[in-house]
């Protein structure tokens, strides 16, 4: 049995560089503008089913929303009492090296059965981040407590998408010796099977052919991706062929520098176009003892799993590595009604997990039955004895909604 870790990445957002001022005049009929004020902004992913206590407790000071052009959104939360705060939403912009907020919306909420609801449409030209603040009836920051903050959205993009397999550096083959063309075909078939959709095209691209990056990424030697290269998945976004540019990039490297990591992707990729990102996969894995060549089955499953993150899905059970990246230890599982999760491994670190699994194996207990979500594609670890993975119906529904929000 091998256990490898999938990573789900959040874009870190530290607010130290944001200055709380604006050159927008405040209209007289509007309440006072109360700017976001936080050292760290917790991220809200559209249609995320997990309720984060961290988001709830920081929402009035500032949470960060991922919004897309011409998309309709509903934010709601539970509240005690009758006072309905005003929700103010801000865009941020850079000027002379400093970042500023600008008020984008002031929203009155409606209260029903203890839950306040706000609706808005984002009319930005491209996917971006907005920031929240809540204003009480005294025109000061709202200080009441919130629970179960929800952020739902639906947008204008198609639910169908194409794939672009981008071979970065020398192609170093799968353990079953598939060519790039054979691997691409297998990935396309896998996406159609697991996402229950039709993929029109999987393009094949080579890093050396990229108009801007070609000279930096020769095809003569294997490429090792350092997952800390935050911009790396975005480098191969734009191609002369606009259909290829709009496809989801599956960036295939030799291996990822960090041990036991099979692939990585941001949670909710926002866009497949210029400025968007892709998912990173590898033919080889770095382990404690060796560089291990992967089977094509494994590479395909990693591509499908990482794309699940790109489309906005969390791991069924959150690991410590996930919480370390999101800075949010209040979320233990994906919150999705029809996916089970695994309390013994929730928020546990890799070494604890390995000890747990190894001990189970030593005692001859089949570990797969210990975690009821181990057959879900979004289970946080890869166990290669399992070959009957699936997404749940609710997970696929979230993917369908989020595809309408992801620019492509
Ligand atoms: Zn993952």
């Amino acid at each position: 049995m091998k256990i490898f870790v999938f990573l789900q990445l959040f874009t870190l957002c530290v607010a130290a560089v944001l200055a709380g001022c604006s050159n927008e005049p405040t209209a007289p009929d509007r309440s006072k503008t109360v700017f976001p004020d936080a050292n760290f902004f917790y991220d809200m992913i559209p249609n995320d089913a997990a309720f984060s206590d961290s988001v709830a407790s920081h929402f009035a000071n500032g949470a960060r929303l991922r919004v897309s052009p011409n998309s309709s959104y509903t934010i709601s939360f539970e509240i005690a009492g009758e006072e309905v705060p005003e929700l103010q939403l801000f865009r941020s912009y850079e000027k002379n090296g400093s970042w500023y907020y600008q008020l984008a919306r002031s929203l009155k909420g409606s209260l029903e059965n203890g839950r306040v609801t706000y609706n808005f449409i984002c009319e930005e030209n491209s996917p971006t981040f907005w920031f929240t603040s809540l204003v009480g009836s005294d025109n000061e920051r709202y200080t009441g407590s919130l629970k179960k903050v929800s952020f739902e959205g639906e947008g204008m993009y198609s639910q169908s998408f194409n794939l672009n397999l981008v071979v970065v550096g020398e192609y170093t083959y799968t353990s079953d010796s598939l060519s790039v063309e054979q691997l691409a075909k297998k990935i396309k078939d896998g996406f159609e099977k697991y996402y229950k959709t039709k993929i029109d095209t999987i393009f094949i691209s080579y890093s050396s052919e990229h108009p801007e990056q070609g000279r930096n990424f020769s095809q003569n030697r294997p490429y090792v991706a350092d997952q800390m290269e935050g911009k790396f998945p975005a480098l191969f976004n734009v191609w002369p062929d606009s259909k290829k540019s709009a496809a989801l990039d599956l960036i295939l490297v030799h291996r990822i520098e960090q041990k036991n990591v099979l692939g990585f992707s941001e949670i909710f990729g926002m866009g497949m176009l210029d400025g968007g990102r892709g998912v990173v996969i590898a033919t080889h894995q770095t382990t404690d003892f060796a560089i291990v060549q992967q089977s094509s089955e494994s590479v395909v499953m990693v591509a499908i799993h990482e794309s699940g993150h790109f489309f906005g899905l969390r791991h069924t059970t959150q690991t410590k590595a996930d919480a370390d990246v999101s800075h949010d230890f209040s979320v233990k599982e994906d919150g999705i009604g029809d996916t089970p999760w695994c309390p013994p491994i929730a928020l546990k670190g890799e070494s604890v997990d390995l000890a747990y699994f190894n001990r189970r194996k030593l005692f001859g207990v089949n570990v797969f039955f210990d975690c009821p979500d181990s057959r879900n594609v979004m289970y946080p670890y890869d166990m290669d004895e399992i070959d009957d993975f699936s997404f749940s119906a609710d997970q696929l529904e979230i993917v369908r909604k989020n595809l309408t929000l992801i620019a492509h």
Side-chain angles (χ1 to χ4, degrees):
M1 181 177 73
K2 71 169 191 243
I3 300 168
F4 285 120
V5 185
F6 296 117
L7 283 194
Q8 53 181 34
L9 302 183
F10 283 81
T11 309
L12 288 185
C13 177
V14 179
V17 293
L18 279 169
C21 57
S22 164
N23 52 13
E24 279 284 283
T26 305
D29 60 340
R30 190 190 286 162
S31 356
K32 191 176 130 193
T33 301
V34 177
F35 290 100
D37 179 19
N39 293 320
F40 177 82
F41 289 98
Y42 287 94
D43 256 325
M44 296 184 71
I45 312 159
N47 303 309
D48 182 13
F51 292 121
S52 158
D53 293 347
S54 304
V55 167
S57 59
H58 291 86
F59 189 85
N61 286 308
R64 192 171 74 154
L65 310 174
R66 298 173 173 223
V67 291
S68 305
N70 299 316
S71 302
S72 309
Y73 294 97
T74 300
I75 289 177
S76 67
F77 45 77
E78 290 177 9
I79 203 165
E82 296 298 313
E83 183 192 353
V84 176
E86 181 178 295
L87 172 60
Q88 297 188 344
L89 299 174
F90 298 82
R91 59 174 68 89
S92 67
Y93 64 96
E94 196 231 329
K95 196 175 172 185
N96 302 329
S98 293
W99 284 86
Y100 298 92
Y101 292 115
Q102 183 184 44
L103 187 64
R105 295 281 186 286
S106 284
L107 301 169
K108 308 284 179 204
S110 60
L111 177 65
E112 198 173 335
N113 299 325
R115 196 163 185 88
V116 187
T117 302
Y118 307 85
N119 297 303
F120 67 97
I121 295 173
C122 169
E123 284 152 347
E124 302 282 17
N125 295 323
S126 56
T128 189
F129 296 103
W130 279 6
F131 299 82
T132 66
S133 87
L134 284 180
V135 186
S137 50
D138 56 357
N139 273 350
E140 298 297 331
R141 190 179 308 284
Y142 180 75
T143 54
S145 68
L146 320 178
K147 272 192 210 160
K148 298 194 172 174
V149 185
S150 152
F151 175 44
E152 293 165 282
E154 199 130 16
M156 64 170 184
Y157 298 101
S158 154
Q159 290 181 348
S160 64
F161 60 96
N162 291 323
L163 298 169
N164 182 25
L165 180 64
V166 185
V167 182
V168 176
E170 181 186 351
Y171 176 61
T172 46
Y173 289 89
T174 55
S175 59
D176 46 341
S177 306
L178 258 55
S179 67
V180 172
E181 289 72 21
Q182 289 169 321
L183 181 62
K185 169 82 170 66
K186 198 160 179 167
I187 290 173
K188 179 175 179 285
D189 291 347
F191 268 71
E192 291 186 333
K193 176 183 167 193
Y194 286 94
Y195 285 104
K196 298 191 194 311
T197 188
K198 174 92 178 72
I199 306 287
D200 279 342
T201 309
I202 180 164
F203 298 98
I204 296 173
S205 306
Y206 292 89
S207 55
S208 60
E209 296 168 353
H210 192 276
E212 280 147 34
Q213 302 302 331
R215 59 199 158 92
N216 302 326
F217 294 90
S218 101
Q219 228 76 51
N220 297 331
R221 57 193 158 91
Y223 185 77
V224 180
D226 176 350
Q227 66 147 326
M228 299 313 288
E229 290 174 84
K231 288 182 179 159
F232 174 66
L235 293 180
F236 304 100
N237 243 214
V238 183
W239 297 84
D241 177 345
S242 62
K243 266 185 95 174
K244 190 188 269 194
S245 288
L248 173 60
D249 294 320
L250 305 173
I251 300 163
L252 180 67
V253 299
H254 169 60
R255 65 185 167 91
I256 294 160
E257 179 78 10
Q258 192 184 355
K259 69 177 184 182
N260 295 343
V261 173
L262 286 157
F264 60 91
S265 168
E266 197 170 355
I267 287 203
F268 190 72
M270 289 184 76
M272 305 177 194
L273 301 165
D274 188 11
R277 294 188 176 203
V279 309
V280 177
I281 55 177
T283 56
H284 290 63
Q285 307 304 327
T286 311
T287 74
D288 277 328
F289 310 107
I291 307 298
V292 182
Q293 194 173 30
Q294 300 298 291
S295 68
S296 59
E297 278 82 12
S298 173
V299 175
V300 170
M301 281 316 300
V302 172
I304 291 165
H305 173 101
E306 296 303 334
S307 302
H309 288 316
F310 192 92
F311 298 145
L313 296 179
R314 292 175 182 269
H315 288 146
T316 45
T317 303
Q318 303 293 290
T319 64
K320 181 175 177 294
D322 299 336
D324 285 343
V325 172
S326 65
H327 292 233
D328 189 347
F329 284 78
S330 74
V331 173
K332 294 194 173 79
E333 47 116 359
D334 62 9
I336 298 171
D338 68 352
T339 60
W341 63 291
C342 192
I345 65 164
L347 299 181
K348 294 281 167 54
E350 186 189 346
S351 57
V352 176
D353 293 333
L354 288 168
Y356 174 79
F357 287 121
N358 288 339
R359 188 172 68 245
R360 290 308 202 178
K361 196 181 177 196
L362 197 66
F363 294 155
V365 176
N366 190 341
V367 70
F368 308 138
F369 297 106
D370 284 343
C371 281
D373 48 343
S374 63
R375 287 180 154 70
N376 190 285
V377 177
M378 299 315 292
Y379 184 66
Y381 303 100
D382 170 48
M383 295 194 220
D384 60 356
E385 283 93 340
I386 298 179
D387 58 7
D388 57 345
F389 292 102
S390 63
F391 286 114
S392 75
D394 289 356
Q395 283 176 317
L396 288 179
E397 184 54 30
I398 291 171
V399 168
R400 271 190 279 276
K401 268 192 204 163
N402 281 348
L403 275 166
T404 70
L405 296 167
I406 294 172
H408 67 289

